[in-house]
Amino acid sequence: MNEFSKMNVPIARTSLLETEIQSVLEPLRTGWLVQGPKVREFEEKWSAFTGAEHSIAVTSCTTALHLSLAALGFGPGDEAIVPAFTWIATANVVEHLGGTVVFCDIDLATFNLDVSQLERLVTPRTRAILPVHLFGLSADMSAILAFAAKHKLAVVEDAACGFGARYKGRHVGTLGDTGCFSFHPRKAITTGEGGMITTNDAALAEKLRRLRDHGAAMSDLQRHLGARPYLLADHPDAGYNQRMTDLQAALGSAQMDRAQQIISERQRLAAVYDGAFEDLGWLRTAAKLEGYEHGYQSYPCLFQPEPVNMSSVLRVNAMRNEWMDKLQQRGISTRPATHAVHMLSYYREKYGLSPEDFPCAYVANHCSISLPLFHGMTEAEQAYVIDVVAEGFQ
């Protein structure tokens, strides 16, 4: 392969149909731009796809997590168990509410919570657990739900990457008290920024709807459709302004009409990668577990030219970074899979943490690599990535 055959393959690319682009014009023409009929339509389609009883659209997955904890009564002095390997928002929302983050290490085979370590983390102040379905693979929810029931903990599923992921036949985000999804451009369904909360608890759903809308007893849409639209709503709660706009929801709702097609395409792309890389002993691909259906928000691998552990991690990390440089020079964009949150400055300094406290999260941060995967990826783009990866890392 010579220099002239170089392609540019991004880590992700938003792929929208013309009908989806045009969908944004409807709220612009009607003049209803804020939370309104398109938000309601998007929520209804989301519930139908996931099987959730209630879906509540918000401004981001971060605000979805924040609202969930707030609605469940989490507050100052409370503790929440959070994976040490995740996007920083999972931990940040605990801090925002005055709580204490209690990190749990991960299982390197799945990049998800190591459930065998949960029991030792419980204290009298533990109030919640936030399992993350990282990269589209469900956490071990049977074990997590049993643990939560035993200790009377709230379960807030961070399903930011979880669209299309299923656990024993159920869509993630429908197993705990709430599920929280992201519509960032790297996700399968995007609204630019945006998020969704799912729950099967009607009373909790009602409270979440109030809290996202300044604590109002009814939304603007409900008030305008009612008999007395000129009367203002009561505010039983001191809520927040975390409402999705109808512009965003129109785009999200239009994409939901091909939701299964989007998921199936990402799964097909992942299967092609799996087949191409199965004999590369130095690159471990995503785990395949019975009863789990991966949604493949991304395609994370573990770079392992030698066994990876705390004694080899920095050496392997240097080799990984050199390989990522090579891929970048060949036009292929990659990323470390996500953060070891306990090593980010705020958490490291506040809690006095070191790499050895959560070694698997530290190894995953230093030795993981996400390869390009997105619906709309062409056969030529994927073939190019496979060819360059097959050349090796040296």
Side-chain angles (χ1 to χ4, degrees):
M1 190 179 297
N2 59 49
E3 183 65 25
F4 296 103
S5 64
K6 174 181 173 180
M7 294 180 68
N8 288 305
V9 187
I11 190 68
R13 183 173 62 230
T14 301
S15 177
L16 298 172
L17 303 180
E18 184 60 30
T19 53
E20 293 161 359
I21 295 170
Q22 291 294 320
S23 71
V24 181
L25 296 178
E26 185 177 345
L28 290 173
R29 287 171 175 148
T30 65
W32 196 294
L33 306 183
V34 295
Q35 178 183 292
K38 284 297 176 181
V39 167
R40 183 171 63 185
E41 178 182 282
F42 187 23
E43 291 171 339
E44 289 170 351
K45 289 182 179 180
W46 194 264
S47 287
F49 186 84
T50 62
E53 293 292 328
H54 308 276
S55 295
I56 301 100
V58 291
T59 54
S60 68
C61 186
T62 305
T63 54
L65 293 164
H66 176 268
L67 279 181
S68 293
L69 286 174
L72 290 162
F74 186 90
D78 292 340
E79 294 178 355
I81 297 172
V82 173
F85 188 61
T86 183
W87 185 246
I88 192 172
T90 318
N92 281 352
V93 294
V94 176
E95 295 284 315
H96 295 162
L97 289 163
T100 298
V101 177
V102 178
F103 287 113
C104 180
D105 210 357
I106 61 159
D107 181 346
L108 270 177
T110 64
F111 295 127
N112 283 327
L113 271 174
D114 182 350
V115 296
S116 70
Q117 299 193 31
L118 290 174
E119 284 292 343
R120 67 181 182 83
L121 302 175
V122 177
T123 77
R125 295 194 300 160
T126 309
R127 296 287 178 268
I129 180 169
L130 283 71
V132 181
H133 308 301
L134 209 53
F135 315 124
L137 179 65
S138 175
D140 184 353
M141 290 305 295
S142 292
I144 289 167
L145 291 171
F147 166 77
K150 176 181 176 181
H151 296 285
K152 298 181 172 55
L153 307 181
V155 178
V156 175
E157 298 176 65
D158 184 337
C161 304
F163 180 66
R166 296 182 182 273
Y167 178 78
K168 298 183 178 180
R170 294 180 62 183
H171 199 289
V172 300
T174 65
L175 299 138
D177 293 286
T178 69
C180 302
F181 296 84
S182 170
F183 303 129
H184 180 273
R186 278 195 67 184
K187 305 303 190 291
I189 300 292
T190 183
T191 59
E193 285 284 3
M196 190 76 76
I197 309 172
T198 50
T199 184
N200 295 324
D201 184 325
L204 182 58
E206 183 179 350
K207 186 172 185 180
L208 287 162
R209 290 190 180 100
R210 291 198 308 268
L211 287 176
R212 74 169 169 185
D213 190 11
H214 300 282
M218 69 172 68
S219 69
D220 288 343
L221 180 62
Q222 290 171 313
R223 184 165 58 85
H224 280 276
L225 294 177
R228 295 180 174 179
Y230 49 83
L231 295 180
L232 297 177
D234 186 22
H235 287 67
D237 302 288
Y240 312 90
N241 182 2
Q242 297 181 346
R243 298 169 296 182
M244 178 179 282
T245 68
D246 259 29
L247 291 168
Q248 295 168 291
L251 182 59
S253 177
Q255 290 166 81
M256 289 303 294
D257 293 337
R258 60 180 180 119
Q260 189 54 58
Q261 176 190 339
I262 288 171
I263 292 302
S264 296
E265 183 177 352
R266 297 173 89 95
Q267 292 171 334
R268 179 187 61 78
L269 290 165
V272 172
Y273 273 152
D274 289 346
F277 302 149
E278 62 182 349
D279 294 329
L280 299 182
W282 52 271
L283 193 68
R284 197 200 68 202
T285 57
K288 297 174 184 62
L289 306 172
E290 186 176 352
Y292 293 68
E293 183 176 344
H294 206 310
Y296 292 102
Q297 178 269 332
S298 58
Y299 192 80
C301 304
L302 189 68
F303 179 71
Q304 49 178 24
E306 59 180 273
V308 285
N309 50 50
M310 290 303 291
S311 63
S312 65
V313 61
L314 294 182
R315 182 169 59 252
V316 173
N317 173 253
M319 288 189 282
R320 185 206 65 175
N321 291 349
E322 288 180 7
W323 186 47
M324 291 174 76
D325 285 341
K326 173 186 172 181
L327 293 173
Q328 188 69 36
Q329 291 165 12
R330 300 292 293 274
I332 297 171
S333 183
T334 62
R335 298 287 187 277
T338 193
H339 294 300
V341 184
H342 72 295
M343 285 292 92
L344 299 177
S345 297
Y346 176 85
Y347 291 97
R348 184 183 70 244
E349 294 168 8
K350 177 175 180 178
Y351 292 99
L353 300 172
S354 65
E356 293 78 11
D357 291 325
F358 307 100
C360 290
Y362 185 73
V363 165
N365 172 254
H366 280 67
C367 303
S368 63
I369 180 170
S370 285
L371 297 173
L373 187 150
F374 46 90
H375 58 279
M377 187 179 195
T378 67
E379 186 175 319
E381 286 174 325
Q382 187 173 36
Y384 178 72
V385 173
I386 291 169
D387 286 345
V388 175
V389 169
E391 292 176 5
F393 57 89
Q394 295 176 329

